[in-house]
Every structure is written in structure tokens, then in C-alpha cells.
């Protein structure tokens, strides 16, 4: 009976064996890998739960004049900014720490496609988390006004939403890039959290005008104050290229060439 | 397809920081047969297999599976089943989940995963446990299930019998025999002769990165071989290979050949090669060869 079932199950698929694995399927597989382990589920749960908790605490503890949309976005995005790089890192490093690359890269030898699928999967989750964070901030602001008679203003709402999403996705991409470049979870986490901040501390005394070219925190700070200039954008691009672009390029080269064992 | 072999390994070499782990290894795995890839630990089996499937970049040479480089196969899991290391599985996933991921990636229905669990003799309850709790034998079964997921025509298995109990080894033999009887081709490695001598049709024996014996199992195991030495051993080797005569390099030069003396003389004559020596060799058995290989390596270990 089993034999018959097996034959039936496998005669049809074989004809399609000569087409490459569709990219969408690779992305779905990578998404599933992010959610089917205990560590992955906890991380996602934390990512999803963090913003409502922060918003709720704000509604009840913040002084009423500070209960506005921009503040909600600022506060609720803080835990996400810490967690998203970890999501990016784990997406890339788990294949190496658990040695599952031995299976993954045998099923799809075009390693660049696997990397891209991982990037798209993580970015998809990151965008989802950002949208959730914005929605929670909207609800928080409405609640703050109705429950505590808070300020409730929507100043800069559009701009704030776009800018903070950009910051969050940048840090997610930083995690992805460092994960690819280092392939070891602990090392990538250390570098992601320590090095850019050390850099900022070290060059903190320098003129913002020059340090923003290579200090990612500095380059992102006008996004928080909503006064980024044309030059500021270029500086942001330069700092992002340094911290995200270069590790990503090195990582892609490394993953494509390194021996999987 | 006009290709004659399911797997063709041509002159594969791999250097690791100056040391040659694999040295000009060539062999074919014919369609519908089982080839045992035999050698002591550290001989270069795993490195060869990793190069075969594109996980390790060769220093030289090339390999094809079903007539193409492995890395150029589209959705290779549907044509080639690979098990390189049964322990390389996420310890936090269940066996079933690992198979479902594989099935998803290959574009197979979920139920294929359950079928393969059944096929390799894991219980439903076992398949729902995290693999971190699996014994090595269970991991091997799961690995074989994964290799079979895509209903492949070719199997490449690195030490699949490792960690299996005698019943498990028997099961594996039966499974591979059936696979080959259905027209499938198998390349499996082992560091233990007795693990594969029952099941293999052909043997490739490797020691310190070099092939030291290759041919049909029956020839190689025949024991009463013939020792031959000539003015042009390379030419003689090519001649014997061309007609499918199994032979091994003799430590003193020349070869031990699993064929009649007259047959060898004819091969040499046809190639215009003069023989220097041609006599019966009682030390020719594969068992002896293998013992010699292992002993050499053991001595080397003591020295270093
Ligand atoms: N990444 C590596 N760096 C250096 N040496 C290696 C590496 N991988 C394998 N080797 C060496 O190559 C040789 C062959 O190893 P391997 O292919 O694993 O042998 P086998 O599978 O037959 O036991 C061994 O001497 C091993 O030490
Ligand atoms: Mg090995």
C-alpha cells in the first residue's frame, strides 16, 4: 500500500524536476526555517510582543504632554532596533552553526540564490514588524488621548513613520550583512552591537559634520530629529555603505566560495 | 543522454594548505550499480564526495553526476539523493520537520515526508522528537530518508552505516540493493570493508588521497591475483582500465591484477608494452591491501 502511494506521489513530480527551484519557494522555505525552532519562535514572539507592551506602559505612565505619535514611534521602535539585527544575524548564521548548510547548499547549489532568499525572508519579517510597530503607535496615540487626555498630536506622522522604518530596516540589514560576513552568531552579535557604538563613542567628540560620513549612529541622528538635509542623505548613504554594503559584499563572496562542511 | 556513467569523477584533487588530501582521483559509477568507496579514516573520501556535490571547490579535476556538474543540475534533490553527515541537522527541529523543509524546497507534497519516515523505519513518535535527542543510528535513518525524498536516480552517501547496529546495517543493504535493482546508482563510502563488501558491485579503494585499487568487487576479492611489472606501467594501467580489468598499485611498483596472466600479457602486447615480471601473487587479496593501508596510516600516526 505504501509502495503504491509512493509511486503515485513521485511519478508526477519527476517531470517537473528539470526546472530550477522557483525563488518564491526558496523564500517560503527560509521563512519557515525562521519560525520552526524554539529560538526562532521566541525571537519572533518578542519582536511582535515588544511594541504593544511598550505602548501600553507609555499610555499609563508618560506625562500627558508627551503622549503623541512621534513619541510612541520613538519608544516602541527602540526594542525593535535591538532585536532586528539579531533576526538578521540568525537568518544567516544558523546554516553554519547547526551545519544545515550541508543540506541546504546541496539542494540549491546556487548559494547566491539561497542568500537572497534569506535576505528577502528576513526583510519581509522586518517590514511586517515595522508596520505592526506603526499601527501600535497609532493605537497608542489614540488611547493616550482618549484614556488620559494626552496630547495626541500627529505632527510629522508621515515623515516619522518613513524615517523610523528606514532606521529599523537598516539595522536588520546590518545584522544580515554581519551574519554573512562572520558566519558565527556570537561574533556577529558582538560586532553588531559593540563596534558601531564604540565607533560613535570614539568619534563622538569629533565634528558631526565629518563623523557622519562613517559613523552610522551619527548619520542616522537627523532622521530622529526630522531635519535631514541633502548632504545628510549622502552621509547616511556613505555610512550605510560602509557598515552594511561592504560586509554584505564580503559576506556574499565568502559564502559563495567557502567550503561547506 | 549518451553518458555511460551515473557519476564520473575525473582527476579530482584537493590541496589543503600544501597537503594533498585528494590526489587525482578518477572513477565511474555505472548506472544501476552500487560502488563502494573504501578507505581508512582521513583517506580523502569525504573530501572527494564534497567536491562531487559542489560543497568544496576542487584544486583540480572535475566531476559529473548524470552527465552534468552537480552544481548545474536544476533542483538536484529530485535527481540525486545526498547524505554527507547525518549529524549535520538542526538539533531543535523534529525529524519530520526536517523532511518537510526538504520536501518544501524540492517542491514535493508534505506527505512525502511522512512516507519516507515510514520507509526508513522511524516511528511516528520518533519523527516528532527533536533530532537533538536522536541516536546516531536514528540520524542515519533520517539522513537516508532525506536523501530519498526527491525520488532520486542516484544516491551519494558518506559512511551511512556509521552508528547502525547489525540489524540497521542489514536494513541499509536491503534498501540499497532494492534501489539499484530499480535502476538507481549508488556511491557509498565506508572505512570498513565488511560494511560494504556484501552490497557493492564495484569498489574504489583510496588511501592518503590516492586510489590504490579499483574494479569489480569479485575481481578485487578474488585473492589469487597476478603480479605484473612492465617497462611502461602507466600505459599498462591505461590498457587494463580500458578493458575493465581491476588492479591495484603494488607497493614495490607494478600492479596486482585480478585477471588471468594470459589476459594481462595480451593487453600488454596489444599496447606494445614489454613485461618485466608476471607471476602469481598470494598477498593480493583486498583484505590484505586494506590492512596494509590501515597499518601504514597507523604507523604514520605513531611517528607524527
Ligand atoms: N578543511 C580542511 N583543512 C585541512 N585539512 C583537511 C580539511 N578537510 C580535510 N582535511 C584533511 O584531508 C584528509 C582527508 O580527509 P577526509 O576527506 O575527511 O577523509 P575521510 O572522509 O576518508 O576520512 C585528512 O587528512 C584531513 O585531515
Ligand atoms: Mg569521512
Amino acid at each position: 500500500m505504501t509502495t503504491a502511494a509512493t509511486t503515485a506521489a513521485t511519478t508526477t513530480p519527476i517531470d517537473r524536476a528539470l526546472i530550477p527551484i522557483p525563488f518564491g519557494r526558496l523564500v517560503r522555505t527560509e521563512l519557515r526555517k525562521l519560525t520552526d525552532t524554539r529560538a526562532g519562535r521566541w525571537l519572533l514572539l518578542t519582536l511582535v510582543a515588544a511594541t504593544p507592551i511598550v505602548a501600553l506602559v507609555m499610555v499609563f505612565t508618560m506625562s500627558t504632554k508627551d503622549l503623541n505619535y512621534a513619541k510612541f514611534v520613538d519608544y516602541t521602535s527602540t526594542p525593535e532596533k535591538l532585536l532586528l539585527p539579531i533576526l538578521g544575524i540568525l537568518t544567516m548564521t544558523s546554516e553554519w552553526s547547526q551545519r544545515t548548510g550541508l543540506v541546504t547548499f546541496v539542494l540549491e547549489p546556487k548559494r547566491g540564490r539561497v542568500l537572497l532568499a534569506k535576505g528577502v525572508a528576513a526583510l519581509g519579517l522586518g517590514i511586517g514588524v515595522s508596520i505592526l510597530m506603526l499601527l501600535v503607535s497609532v493605537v497608542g496615540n489614540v488611547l493616550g488621548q482618549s484614556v488620559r487626555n494626552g496630547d495626541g498630536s500627529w505632527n510629522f506622522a508621515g515623515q516619522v513613520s518613513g524615517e523610523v522604518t528606514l532606521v529599523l530596516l537598516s539595522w536588520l540589514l546590518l545584522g544580515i550583512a554581519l551574519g554573512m560576513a562572520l558566519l558565527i552568531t556570537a561574533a556577529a552579535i558582538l560586532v553588531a552591537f559593540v563596534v558601531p557604538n564604540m565607533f560613535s563613542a570614539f568619534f563622538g567628540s569629533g565634528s558631526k559634520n565629518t563623523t557622519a560620513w562613517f559613523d552610522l549612529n551619527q548619520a542616522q541622528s537627523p532622521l530622529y530629529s526630522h531635519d535631514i538635509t541633502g548632504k545628510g542623505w549622502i552621509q547616511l548613504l556613505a555610512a550605510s555603505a560602509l557598515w552594511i554594503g561592504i560586509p554584505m559584499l564580503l559576506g556574499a563572496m565568502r559564502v559563495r566560495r567557502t567550503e561547506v562542511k | 543522454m549518451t553518458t555511460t556513467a551515473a557519476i564520473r569523477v575525473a582527476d579530482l584533487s584537493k590541496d589543503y594548505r600544501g597537503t594533498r588530501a585528494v590526489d587525482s582521483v578518477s572513477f565511474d559509477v555505472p548506472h544501476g550499480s552500487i560502488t563502494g568507496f573504501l578507505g581508512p579514516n582521513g583517506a580523502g573520501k569525504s573530501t572527494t564526495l564534497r567536491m562531487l556535490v559542489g560543497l568544496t571547490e576542487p584544486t583540480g579535476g572535475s566531476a559529473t553526476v548524470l552527465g552534468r556538474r552537480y552544481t548545474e543540475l536544476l533542483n538536484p534533490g529530485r535527481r540525486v539523493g545526498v547524505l554527507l553527515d547525518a549529524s549535520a541537522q538542526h538539533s531543535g527541529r523534529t525529524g519530520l520537520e526536517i523532511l518537510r523543509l526538504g520536501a518544501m524546497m524540492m517542491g514535493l507534497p508534505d506527505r512525502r515526508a511522512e512516507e519516507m519516515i515510514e520507509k526508513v523505519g522511524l516511528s511516528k513518535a520518533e519523527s516528532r522528537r527533536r533530532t537533538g535527542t536522536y541516536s546516531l543510528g536514528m540520524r542515519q535513518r533520517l539522513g537516508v530518508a532525506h536523501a530519498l525524498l526527491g525520488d532520486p536516480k542516484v544516491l551519494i552517501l558518506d559512511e551511512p552505516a556509521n552508528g547502525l547496529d547489525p540489524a540497521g546495517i542489514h536494513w541499509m543493504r536491503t534498501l540499497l540493493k532494492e534501489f539499484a535493482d530499480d535502476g538507481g546508482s549508488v556511491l557509498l563510502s565506508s572505512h570498513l570493508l565488511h560494511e560494504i563488501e556484501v552490497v557493492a558491485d564495484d569498489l574504489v579503494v583510496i588511501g592518503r588521497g590516492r586510489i590504490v585499487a579499483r574494479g569489480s568487487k569479485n575481481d578485487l576479492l578474488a585473492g589469487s591475483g597476478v603480479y605484473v611489472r612492465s617497462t611502461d606501467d602507466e600505459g599498462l594501467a591505461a590498457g587494463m582500465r580500458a578493458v575493465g580489468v581491476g588492479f591495484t598499485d603494488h607497493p614495490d611498483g607494478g600492479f596486482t591484477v585480478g585477471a588471468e596472466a594470459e589476459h594481462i600479457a595480451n593487453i600488454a602486447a596489444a599496447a606494445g608494452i614489454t613485461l618485466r615480471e608476471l607471476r602469481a601473487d598470494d598477498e593480493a587479496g583486498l583484505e590484505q591491501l586494506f590492512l596494509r593501508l590501515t597499518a601504514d596510516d597507523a604507523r604514520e600516526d605513531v611517528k607524527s
Side-chain angles (χ1 to χ4, degrees):
Chain A
M1 200 189 110
T2 327
T3 329
T6 312
T7 322
T10 51
T11 35
T12 22
I14 280 310
D15 309 331
R16 301 191 351 233
L18 283 171
I19 65 161
I21 300 178
F23 186 69
R25 210 159 76 206
L26 285 180
V27 174
R28 271 188 291 130
T29 311
E30 292 305 330
L31 272 173
R32 179 161 177 161
K33 285 189 202 169
L34 283 172
T35 52
D36 71 352
T37 64
R38 216 177 270 173
R41 275 197 293 265
W42 273 109
L43 181 60
L44 284 179
L45 190 72
T46 317
L47 276 165
V48 169
T51 43
I53 293 174
V54 171
L56 217 62
V57 171
M58 284 175 73
V59 168
F60 291 106
T61 60
M62 208 115 177
S63 74
T64 47
K65 68 172 181 356
D66 283 336
L67 285 174
N68 59 57
Y69 179 71
K71 262 287 188 296
F72 271 102
V73 169
D74 188 8
Y75 279 52
T76 55
S77 67
T78 305
E80 309 300 337
K81 191 183 152 185
L82 290 173
L83 291 167
L84 284 173
I86 298 180
L87 175 71
I89 288 167
L90 289 179
T91 310
M92 292 298 165
T93 55
S94 73
E95 216 69 80
W96 307 85
S97 56
Q98 296 276 340
R99 299 182 58 226
T100 48
L102 227 48
V103 171
T104 304
F105 296 124
V106 159
L107 290 183
E108 178 48 279
K110 306 217 165 21
R111 297 185 198 172
R113 293 187 86 207
V114 175
L115 285 183
L116 205 60
K118 284 180 183 299
V120 169
L123 214 55
L125 286 180
I127 290 170
V129 162
S130 304
I131 292 174
L132 182 76
M133 184 266 301
L134 297 176
L135 288 177
V136 165
S137 297
V138 169
V139 174
N141 197 29
V142 171
L143 267 181
Q145 196 177 26
S146 52
V147 176
R148 297 214 26 228
N149 205 11
D151 171 54
S153 90
W154 300 96
N155 291 341
F156 297 112
Q159 202 181 342
V160 165
S161 309
E163 285 167 350
V164 80
T165 303
L166 186 65
V167 170
L168 289 183
L169 296 184
S170 298
W171 284 86
L172 172 63
L173 285 170
L174 178 93
I176 291 174
L178 290 175
M180 279 161 74
L182 297 168
L183 302 179
I184 300 169
T185 312
I189 288 182
L190 193 79
V191 172
F193 288 107
V194 175
V195 178
N197 294 326
M198 250 173 52
F199 221 74
S200 305
F202 189 75
F203 290 105
S205 50
S207 135
K208 279 188 186 182
N209 226 339
T210 39
T211 56
W213 287 104
F214 47 85
D215 179 343
L216 190 58
N217 287 309
Q218 198 60 259
Q220 285 180 348
S221 74
L223 288 179
Y224 285 99
S225 46
H226 321 300
D227 57 357
I228 189 158
T229 60
K231 185 181 171 198
W233 281 111
I234 298 173
Q235 288 177 319
L236 182 61
L237 209 65
S240 304
L242 178 69
W243 289 99
I244 300 166
I246 291 176
M248 199 171 270
L249 202 71
L250 292 176
M253 271 159 43
R254 178 171 183 192
V255 169
R256 289 172 68 140
R257 288 161 55 163
T258 198
E259 178 173 40
V260 183
K261 56 190 304 184
Chain B
M1 215 169 288
T2 52
T3 171
T4 50
I7 297 175
R8 170 154 282 175
V9 173
D11 254 339
L12 274 186
S13 297
K14 180 69 189 177
D15 289 344
Y16 285 116
R17 280 170 252 113
T19 54
R20 185 143 275 218
V22 175
D23 192 0
S24 300
V25 164
S26 303
F27 61 87
D28 282 355
V29 176
H31 285 290
S33 80
I34 302 177
T35 296
F37 192 26
L38 192 61
N41 285 322
K45 304 181 295 293
S46 300
T47 307
T48 303
L49 297 183
R50 280 199 316 271
M51 290 193 281
L52 183 56
V53 299
L55 292 182
T56 293
E57 186 68 23
T59 308
S62 63
T64 56
V65 183
L66 295 170
R68 291 202 199 191
R69 279 172 189 280
Y70 182 88
T71 52
E72 282 159 12
L73 292 170
L74 308 173
N75 201 351
R78 297 281 280 274
R79 319 188 65 195
V80 185
V82 179
L83 170 58
L84 294 180
D85 185 344
S87 298
Q89 284 155 351
H90 198 296
S91 54
R93 291 196 180 110
T94 66
L96 185 61
E97 174 61 16
I98 287 170
L99 295 193
R100 284 190 171 153
L101 277 175
M104 186 174 186
M105 202 161 159
M106 288 183 234
L108 300 163
D110 247 15
R111 90 188 117 90
R112 182 85 188 151
E114 271 125 51
E115 285 167 13
M116 289 305 109
I117 288 283
E118 219 170 282
K119 186 170 173 88
V120 299
L122 288 171
S123 74
K124 213 171 166 146
E126 285 168 337
S127 76
R128 282 158 176 78
R129 267 167 45 192
R130 294 166 196 280
T131 61
T133 68
Y134 280 22
S135 68
L136 183 53
M138 290 165 72
R139 283 166 206 242
Q140 293 285 21
R141 284 174 190 262
L142 182 65
V144 170
H146 199 286
L148 292 171
L149 264 180
D151 193 25
K153 292 285 157 273
V154 177
L155 282 179
I156 298 171
L157 312 172
D158 195 6
E159 307 252 7
N162 238 357
L164 290 179
D165 54 19
I169 291 179
H170 180 76
W171 161 79
M172 174 87 65
R173 280 178 191 149
T174 313
L175 185 139
L176 295 181
K177 274 235 162 71
E178 279 173 15
F179 184 82
D181 286 346
D182 288 345
S185 320
V186 183
L187 174 61
L188 84 155
S189 78
S190 175
H191 65 284
L192 298 171
L193 176 57
H194 73 84
E195 263 178 15
I196 51 177
E197 66 173 326
V198 181
V199 74
D201 302 304
D202 295 310
L203 290 175
V204 175
V205 187
I206 185 173
R208 299 203 195 175
R210 298 182 69 104
I211 290 193
V212 293
R214 171 179 49 187
S216 85
K217 176 186 64 183
N218 293 337
D219 287 351
L220 288 172
L221 287 175
S224 59
V226 170
Y227 175 72
V228 63
R229 202 159 61 86
S230 72
T231 51
D232 176 11
D233 280 348
E234 258 175 49
L236 183 60
M240 291 190 292
R241 222 170 275 146
V243 295
V245 166
F247 61 90
T248 67
D249 293 338
H250 197 279
D252 307 330
F255 309 104
T256 306
V257 188
E260 299 287 320
E262 191 184 329
H263 191 30
I264 301 163
N266 284 336
I267 293 169
I273 295 167
T274 311
L275 296 183
R276 287 201 159 127
E277 215 176 332
L278 184 66
R279 58 174 168 81
D281 181 357
D282 301 330
E283 289 280 274
L286 188 61
E287 195 91 45
Q288 278 86 348
L289 169 83
F290 201 61
L291 280 174
R292 213 160 54 220
L293 269 181
T294 319
D296 282 353
D297 284 348
R299 265 203 303 281
E300 197 69 15
D301 285 348
V302 173
K303 259 195 292 176
S304 56

Short mmCIF file of all heavy atoms in Angstrom, two decimals, chain A residues 78-113:
data_model
loop_
_atom_site.label_atom_id
_atom_site.label_comp_id
_atom_site.label_asym_id
_atom_site.label_seq_id
_atom_site.Cartn_x
_atom_site.Cartn_y
_atom_site.Cartn_z
N THR A 78 12.40 51.32 19.78
CA THR A 78 13.69 51.05 20.44
C THR A 78 13.97 49.56 20.62
O THR A 78 15.05 49.10 20.23
CB THR A 78 13.76 51.80 21.78
OG1 THR A 78 13.51 53.18 21.51
CG2 THR A 78 15.12 51.66 22.41
N PRO A 79 13.04 48.77 21.18
CA PRO A 79 13.36 47.34 21.30
C PRO A 79 13.54 46.68 19.93
O PRO A 79 14.37 45.78 19.78
CB PRO A 79 12.15 46.75 22.04
CG PRO A 79 11.07 47.76 21.93
CD PRO A 79 11.75 49.09 21.82
N GLU A 80 12.78 47.13 18.95
CA GLU A 80 12.90 46.53 17.61
C GLU A 80 14.28 46.79 17.02
O GLU A 80 14.83 45.96 16.32
CB GLU A 80 11.82 47.09 16.67
CG GLU A 80 10.40 47.03 17.21
CD GLU A 80 9.94 45.61 17.52
OE1 GLU A 80 10.51 44.67 16.96
OE2 GLU A 80 9.03 45.46 18.36
N LYS A 81 14.79 47.98 17.31
CA LYS A 81 16.10 48.32 16.77
C LYS A 81 17.18 47.40 17.34
O LYS A 81 18.19 47.13 16.70
CB LYS A 81 16.41 49.79 17.11
CG LYS A 81 17.61 50.34 16.37
CD LYS A 81 17.92 51.77 16.79
CE LYS A 81 19.40 52.04 16.62
NZ LYS A 81 19.83 53.34 17.11
N LEU A 82 16.95 46.91 18.55
CA LEU A 82 17.90 45.97 19.15
C LEU A 82 17.68 44.54 18.66
O LEU A 82 18.63 43.77 18.52
CB LEU A 82 17.75 45.99 20.68
CG LEU A 82 18.22 47.25 21.39
CD1 LEU A 82 17.86 47.19 22.87
CD2 LEU A 82 19.72 47.42 21.21
N LEU A 83 16.41 44.20 18.43
CA LEU A 83 16.10 42.81 18.10
C LEU A 83 16.27 42.47 16.62
O LEU A 83 16.65 41.36 16.27
CB LEU A 83 14.65 42.49 18.53
CG LEU A 83 14.42 42.46 20.04
CD1 LEU A 83 12.93 42.46 20.34
CD2 LEU A 83 15.09 41.23 20.65
N LEU A 84 16.00 43.45 15.76
CA LEU A 84 16.05 43.14 14.33
C LEU A 84 17.44 42.71 13.83
O LEU A 84 17.53 41.80 13.00
CB LEU A 84 15.50 44.30 13.51
CG LEU A 84 13.97 44.40 13.53
CD1 LEU A 84 13.48 45.67 12.85
CD2 LEU A 84 13.33 43.18 12.87
N PRO A 85 18.53 43.34 14.34
CA PRO A 85 19.83 42.84 13.90
C PRO A 85 20.02 41.37 14.26
O PRO A 85 20.61 40.60 13.49
CB PRO A 85 20.84 43.70 14.66
CG PRO A 85 20.10 44.92 15.04
CD PRO A 85 18.66 44.53 15.18
N ILE A 86 19.49 40.96 15.41
CA ILE A 86 19.63 39.56 15.82
C ILE A 86 18.88 38.65 14.84
O ILE A 86 19.38 37.60 14.44
CB ILE A 86 19.11 39.36 17.26
CG1 ILE A 86 19.95 40.21 18.21
CG2 ILE A 86 19.15 37.89 17.66
CD1 ILE A 86 19.55 40.09 19.66
N LEU A 87 17.70 39.09 14.44
CA LEU A 87 16.96 38.32 13.44
C LEU A 87 17.79 38.17 12.16
O LEU A 87 17.92 37.08 11.61
CB LEU A 87 15.63 39.02 13.11
CG LEU A 87 14.81 38.40 11.99
CD1 LEU A 87 14.21 37.07 12.43
CD2 LEU A 87 13.70 39.33 11.50
N GLY A 88 18.39 39.27 11.72
CA GLY A 88 19.22 39.23 10.51
C GLY A 88 20.40 38.29 10.67
O GLY A 88 20.69 37.49 9.79
N ILE A 89 21.05 38.39 11.81
CA ILE A 89 22.22 37.55 12.06
C ILE A 89 21.84 36.07 12.06
O ILE A 89 22.45 35.26 11.37
CB ILE A 89 22.88 37.94 13.41
CG1 ILE A 89 23.57 39.30 13.26
CG2 ILE A 89 23.88 36.88 13.86
CD1 ILE A 89 23.99 39.92 14.58
N LEU A 90 20.80 35.73 12.84
CA LEU A 90 20.42 34.32 12.95
C LEU A 90 19.99 33.74 11.61
O LEU A 90 20.25 32.58 11.30
CB LEU A 90 19.30 34.15 13.98
CG LEU A 90 19.72 34.35 15.44
CD1 LEU A 90 18.52 34.19 16.36
CD2 LEU A 90 20.83 33.37 15.83
N THR A 91 19.32 34.56 10.80
CA THR A 91 18.91 34.08 9.48
C THR A 91 20.12 33.55 8.72
O THR A 91 20.04 32.51 8.06
CB THR A 91 18.30 35.24 8.66
OG1 THR A 91 17.32 35.89 9.47
CG2 THR A 91 17.67 34.75 7.40
N MET A 92 21.23 34.28 8.82
CA MET A 92 22.40 33.91 8.04
C MET A 92 23.27 32.86 8.72
O MET A 92 23.79 31.97 8.07
CB MET A 92 23.24 35.16 7.76
CG MET A 92 22.56 36.12 6.84
SD MET A 92 22.26 35.35 5.22
CE MET A 92 21.08 36.47 4.50
N THR A 93 23.43 32.96 10.05
CA THR A 93 24.44 32.10 10.70
C THR A 93 23.92 30.70 11.04
O THR A 93 24.74 29.79 11.19
CB THR A 93 24.96 32.73 12.00
OG1 THR A 93 23.85 33.03 12.84
CG2 THR A 93 25.75 33.99 11.72
N SER A 94 22.60 30.52 11.17
CA SER A 94 22.13 29.22 11.66
C SER A 94 22.55 28.09 10.71
O SER A 94 22.81 26.97 11.13
CB SER A 94 20.62 29.23 11.84
OG SER A 94 19.99 29.21 10.59
N GLU A 95 22.62 28.40 9.44
CA GLU A 95 23.02 27.41 8.45
C GLU A 95 24.43 26.87 8.75
O GLU A 95 24.78 25.76 8.38
CB GLU A 95 23.01 28.09 7.09
CG GLU A 95 22.56 27.27 5.93
CD GLU A 95 21.09 26.89 5.94
OE1 GLU A 95 20.23 27.70 5.57
OE2 GLU A 95 20.83 25.76 6.32
N TRP A 96 25.23 27.70 9.43
CA TRP A 96 26.62 27.32 9.71
C TRP A 96 26.77 26.79 11.13
O TRP A 96 27.47 25.81 11.36
CB TRP A 96 27.54 28.52 9.50
CG TRP A 96 27.33 29.09 8.14
CD1 TRP A 96 26.38 30.00 7.79
CD2 TRP A 96 27.99 28.73 6.93
NE1 TRP A 96 26.43 30.23 6.44
CE2 TRP A 96 27.42 29.49 5.89
CE3 TRP A 96 29.05 27.86 6.63
CZ2 TRP A 96 27.84 29.38 4.58
CZ3 TRP A 96 29.46 27.76 5.31
CH2 TRP A 96 28.87 28.51 4.30
N SER A 97 26.08 27.42 12.08
CA SER A 97 26.23 26.96 13.46
C SER A 97 25.62 25.57 13.62
O SER A 97 26.11 24.76 14.40
CB SER A 97 25.59 27.96 14.42
OG SER A 97 24.24 28.17 14.10
N GLN A 98 24.55 25.29 12.89
CA GLN A 98 23.93 23.97 13.00
C GLN A 98 24.35 23.06 11.86
O GLN A 98 23.86 21.95 11.73
CB GLN A 98 22.40 24.11 13.03
CG GLN A 98 21.87 24.85 14.24
CD GLN A 98 21.73 23.93 15.45
OE1 GLN A 98 21.66 22.72 15.32
NE2 GLN A 98 21.69 24.52 16.64
N ARG A 99 25.20 23.55 11.00
CA ARG A 99 25.74 22.79 9.86
C ARG A 99 24.66 22.32 8.88
O ARG A 99 24.90 21.40 8.11
CB ARG A 99 26.57 21.61 10.36
CG ARG A 99 27.76 22.08 11.20
CD ARG A 99 28.63 20.92 11.66
NE ARG A 99 29.14 20.16 10.56
CZ ARG A 99 29.13 18.83 10.50
NH1 ARG A 99 28.62 18.13 11.47
NH2 ARG A 99 29.63 18.21 9.47
N THR A 100 23.50 22.98 8.92
CA THR A 100 22.46 22.59 7.98
C THR A 100 22.78 23.01 6.56
O THR A 100 22.14 22.56 5.62
CB THR A 100 21.10 23.19 8.39
OG1 THR A 100 21.31 24.58 8.66
CG2 THR A 100 20.56 22.53 9.62
N GLY A 101 23.80 23.87 6.42
CA GLY A 101 24.24 24.27 5.08
C GLY A 101 24.61 23.06 4.23
O GLY A 101 24.48 23.07 3.01
N LEU A 102 25.05 22.02 4.92
CA LEU A 102 25.40 20.78 4.23
C LEU A 102 24.20 20.21 3.47
O LEU A 102 24.37 19.53 2.48
CB LEU A 102 25.86 19.76 5.29
CG LEU A 102 27.13 18.97 5.07
CD1 LEU A 102 28.29 19.81 4.64
CD2 LEU A 102 27.50 18.20 6.33
N VAL A 103 23.00 20.48 3.95
CA VAL A 103 21.80 20.04 3.25
C VAL A 103 21.31 21.15 2.31
O VAL A 103 21.06 20.93 1.13
CB VAL A 103 20.68 19.67 4.25
CG1 VAL A 103 19.37 19.43 3.52
CG2 VAL A 103 21.09 18.43 5.04
N THR A 104 21.22 22.37 2.83
CA THR A 104 20.65 23.46 2.05
C THR A 104 21.41 23.70 0.74
O THR A 104 20.80 23.81 -0.32
CB THR A 104 20.67 24.75 2.89
OG1 THR A 104 19.97 24.51 4.10
CG2 THR A 104 20.03 25.90 2.14
N PHE A 105 22.74 23.75 0.83
CA PHE A 105 23.51 24.07 -0.37
C PHE A 105 23.68 22.87 -1.30
O PHE A 105 24.17 23.01 -2.41
CB PHE A 105 24.87 24.66 0.02
CG PHE A 105 24.74 25.98 0.73
CD1 PHE A 105 25.31 26.16 1.98
CD2 PHE A 105 24.02 27.02 0.17
CE1 PHE A 105 25.17 27.37 2.66
CE2 PHE A 105 23.87 28.23 0.83
CZ PHE A 105 24.46 28.40 2.07
N VAL A 106 23.28 21.68 -0.83
CA VAL A 106 23.23 20.54 -1.72
C VAL A 106 21.91 20.56 -2.50
O VAL A 106 21.85 20.24 -3.67
CB VAL A 106 23.40 19.22 -0.93
CG1 VAL A 106 22.86 18.04 -1.71
CG2 VAL A 106 24.87 19.00 -0.59
N LEU A 107 20.84 21.02 -1.83
CA LEU A 107 19.55 21.10 -2.51
C LEU A 107 19.49 22.31 -3.45
O LEU A 107 18.78 22.28 -4.45
CB LEU A 107 18.40 21.17 -1.49
CG LEU A 107 18.14 19.90 -0.69
CD1 LEU A 107 16.94 20.09 0.22
CD2 LEU A 107 17.93 18.70 -1.60
N GLU A 108 20.19 23.37 -3.11
CA GLU A 108 20.28 24.53 -4.01
C GLU A 108 21.75 24.97 -4.07
O GLU A 108 22.19 25.78 -3.26
CB GLU A 108 19.38 25.68 -3.52
CG GLU A 108 19.47 26.95 -4.37
CD GLU A 108 19.35 26.70 -5.88
OE1 GLU A 108 20.36 26.32 -6.51
OE2 GLU A 108 18.24 26.92 -6.41
N PRO A 109 22.49 24.42 -5.02
CA PRO A 109 23.93 24.72 -5.09
C PRO A 109 24.21 26.18 -5.47
O PRO A 109 25.33 26.64 -5.26
CB PRO A 109 24.45 23.78 -6.18
CG PRO A 109 23.39 22.77 -6.39
CD PRO A 109 22.09 23.43 -6.02
N LYS A 110 23.22 26.89 -6.01
CA LYS A 110 23.46 28.30 -6.32
C LYS A 110 23.32 29.08 -5.02
O LYS A 110 22.22 29.51 -4.65
CB LYS A 110 22.48 28.77 -7.38
CG LYS A 110 22.53 27.86 -8.62
CD LYS A 110 22.36 28.60 -9.89
CE LYS A 110 22.77 27.78 -11.12
NZ LYS A 110 22.79 26.31 -11.02
N ARG A 111 24.43 29.24 -4.34
CA ARG A 111 24.38 29.77 -2.97
C ARG A 111 23.88 31.22 -2.94
O ARG A 111 23.27 31.64 -1.97
CB ARG A 111 25.77 29.69 -2.33
CG ARG A 111 26.24 28.27 -2.19
CD ARG A 111 27.55 28.20 -1.44
NE ARG A 111 28.21 26.91 -1.68
CZ ARG A 111 29.44 26.63 -1.28
NH1 ARG A 111 30.15 27.55 -0.64
NH2 ARG A 111 29.97 25.46 -1.52
N GLY A 112 24.15 31.95 -4.00
CA GLY A 112 23.68 33.33 -4.07
C GLY A 112 22.16 33.40 -3.97
O GLY A 112 21.60 34.28 -3.31
N ARG A 113 21.48 32.44 -4.59
CA ARG A 113 20.02 32.43 -4.52
C ARG A 113 19.54 32.17 -3.11
O ARG A 113 18.56 32.75 -2.65
CB ARG A 113 19.44 31.32 -5.43
CG ARG A 113 19.65 31.53 -6.90
CD ARG A 113 18.88 30.48 -7.67
NE ARG A 113 17.49 30.88 -7.90
CZ ARG A 113 16.49 30.04 -8.05
NH1 ARG A 113 16.70 28.74 -7.97
NH2 ARG A 113 15.28 30.48 -8.26
#
